[in-house]
Amino acid sequence: MRTSPSGAFCCNMEFRSARQAILQLLGTVAPAALPALLEWMRTTREFDEFTQDNNDTILKNIAEDLRNCLPLETMLSSERLALQKIQQRPEPTVHVDAFLYDEDFIDSLCEEGKMSRNYCMVCGSHQTAPLGFISHSFSLMELKFIYQHVLPDLSGKLLVDVGSRLGTVLYGVKSSLWTYSTFGKYFLLLATVLPATIQDKGISTKQKQGYLYSSALQLYGVELNGDFCQLQEMIIKKYQFTDRIKVLHADICTQDALLQNADVVIMNNVFEYFLDEVEQARAWEYISHNVRKQGSLLVTVPSIEESLSGLQVNIQLSPWVEEVPLNYDVYPGKDIDREALEQIHLYKIL
């Protein structure tokens, strides 16, 4: 006869009591239902508020620091071409930095009347349509997707972020040190508290152990805009990231040695809004000639094919890169922007 675990649950339990309560609860689960329960524990976001790690907090603090230094639209007067191209889009579009402003933050700004998701098609009328939003930074979810599900172990590797802007890619790698993934946390806990008979039911040794993110040896951000370089340097110094992160105020087309030695190159919408078509073509030709280290990886948003469409370039992709298929269903049942994830592409240099 199995005893009910209800009496074991109380407020403010210490670790030993909490562990015993979990053991008792799992002991009441029908064996046939156990795999589904473990899968739910692995994939659910219902534990997020309990498992948010210190690195998420650091990234959110960085976002707050940057918000305090930038206008709401996160665009600077020095970005004249980017501002002009946004204004030339067929539908009204505003720049909303995805790292600084997540959906909940945008909702709160809309409620305060500081931002709107819609525009009036006929001034003064009720005929409204959704505004287009564009971001030149990865969101926190996109960063996690890249470092947890796209890139391999980066230990000892050199990573280059082309057009590093606010530095979010660099901070994301730095802050991933010593962080357990959610997957690892849950199974580390379960492996600690579950009886051996339960541990042996289809859960491999790798699943039972938490694993650590690896750390890139060197992280380089290359940014053409001096104002954004200053912002990155401010964050790097404040959060003591200077040991491994370097920001270069430079045109990427002057960094042949850096690109030739890179193990990972990340390019998030770097050229379309900041260079005219002739300069975009020149930059892509330069990238294709210098990112040639066999086995190195190239992460792009959008795809290379889309970026090159409409440009006068002589770049043959098949001898240069091979696209690596990505699994965009790694967050089943979660409220995520799948469309944004599907814009992320991974290529292996041949």
Side-chain angles (χ1 to χ4, degrees):
M1 178 177 177
R2 290 175 175 171
T3 59
S4 170
S6 58
F9 290 94
C10 60
C11 296
N12 301 317
M13 286 189 293
E14 298 296 333
F15 172 75
R16 287 163 100 43
S17 299
R19 181 174 64 178
Q20 185 61 31
I22 292 174
L23 279 169
Q24 290 184 12
L25 176 62
L26 289 170
T28 67
V29 178
L34 187 59
L37 176 63
L38 296 181
E39 176 66 14
W40 170 78
M41 294 182 72
R42 184 177 70 83
T43 59
T44 184
R45 290 189 68 182
E46 294 183 44
F47 298 128
D48 283 2
E49 62 180 300
F50 307 111
T51 60
Q52 184 182 54
D53 56 56
N54 185 56
N55 295 321
D56 284 353
T57 302
I58 292 174
L59 286 174
K60 290 181 178 180
N61 288 340
I62 290 174
E64 182 177 3
D65 288 341
L66 291 170
R67 283 196 297 269
N68 292 333
C69 297
L70 292 162
L72 184 61
E73 64 275 13
T74 329
M75 298 288 291
L76 302 179
S77 58
S78 54
E79 299 183 280
R80 289 183 293 273
L81 183 58
L83 288 166
Q84 180 182 344
K85 289 195 173 187
I86 289 176
Q87 293 169 358
Q88 291 173 345
R89 288 175 65 91
E91 73 283 350
T93 300
V94 293
H95 180 266
V96 179
D97 192 279
F99 178 68
L100 303 189
Y101 301 99
D102 60 20
E103 289 296 317
D104 291 338
F105 206 114
I106 293 173
D107 287 341
S108 65
L109 290 174
C110 291
E111 290 173 2
E112 296 170 9
K114 296 179 180 179
M115 184 180 289
S116 175
R117 292 183 180 273
N118 301 289
Y119 71 97
C120 181
M121 298 172 65
V122 181
C123 186
S125 79
H126 294 285
Q127 298 182 44
T128 62
L131 274 168
F133 282 5
I134 187 171
S135 173
H136 298 308
S137 296
F138 287 121
S139 67
L140 185 57
M141 175 61 74
E142 290 165 338
L143 286 173
K144 287 184 174 182
F145 176 68
I146 289 171
Y147 291 120
Q148 292 179 3
H149 301 288
V150 175
L151 293 176
D153 182 359
L154 299 181
S155 296
K157 305 299 184 181
L158 169 62
L159 181 145
V160 176
D161 183 21
V162 179
S164 52
R165 196 170 178 83
L166 298 179
T168 55
V169 168
L170 308 177
Y171 314 142
V173 181
K174 174 64 179 181
S175 68
S176 68
L177 277 170
W178 307 305
T179 304
Y180 289 104
S181 71
T182 302
F183 178 94
K185 284 180 181 174
Y186 294 156
F187 277 97
L188 178 63
L189 172 64
L190 290 172
T192 302
V193 303
L194 290 181
T197 54
I198 295 179
Q199 290 184 23
D200 292 338
K201 291 183 178 180
I203 305 176
S204 70
T205 303
K206 288 184 178 179
Q207 289 175 317
K208 288 187 282 187
Q209 299 176 346
Y211 62 87
L212 301 175
Y213 278 109
S214 58
S215 169
L217 179 64
Q218 293 177 293
L219 312 165
Y220 280 90
V222 182
E223 175 54 52
L224 190 59
N225 187 298
D227 296 328
F228 284 121
C229 288
Q230 290 180 17
L231 285 174
Q232 292 177 77
E233 293 290 356
M234 176 193 76
I235 296 297
I236 290 168
K237 290 177 182 177
K238 178 175 180 178
Y239 290 88
Q240 300 179 7
F241 291 166
T242 54
D243 57 333
R244 294 188 303 120
I245 295 180
K246 305 296 180 187
V247 175
L248 304 179
H249 180 198
D251 182 342
I252 191 60
C253 293
T254 65
Q255 301 300 310
D256 53 342
L258 185 63
L259 291 173
Q260 290 165 13
N261 287 288
D263 298 293
V264 177
V265 176
I266 297 183
M267 302 173 62
N268 179 20
N269 199 22
V270 292
F271 299 141
E272 179 183 357
Y273 285 88
F274 306 98
L275 302 174
D276 62 35
E277 291 188 357
V278 173
E279 291 174 320
Q280 288 181 55
R282 177 180 70 96
W284 272 110
E285 294 279 6
Y286 191 88
I287 293 288
S288 67
H289 286 139
N290 287 285
V291 180
R292 289 282 176 173
K293 186 176 182 179
Q294 188 173 14
S296 61
L297 300 173
L298 181 59
V299 179
T300 71
V301 173
S303 67
I304 298 178
E305 293 85 350
E306 182 175 341
S307 295
L308 296 183
S309 64
L311 298 180
Q312 298 297 316
V313 292
N314 183 25
I315 299 175
Q316 302 298 318
L317 294 185
S318 56
W320 175 37
V321 296
E322 176 185 10
E323 183 160 11
V324 179
L326 298 178
N327 178 13
Y328 300 108
D329 295 317
V330 292
Y331 303 115
K334 296 183 179 182
D335 183 19
I336 64 167
D337 186 352
R338 182 188 169 95
E339 185 178 349
L341 295 186
E342 290 177 345
Q343 288 292 305
I344 299 172
H345 295 263
L346 175 66
Y347 300 89
K348 182 179 180 179
I349 307 302
L350 301 176

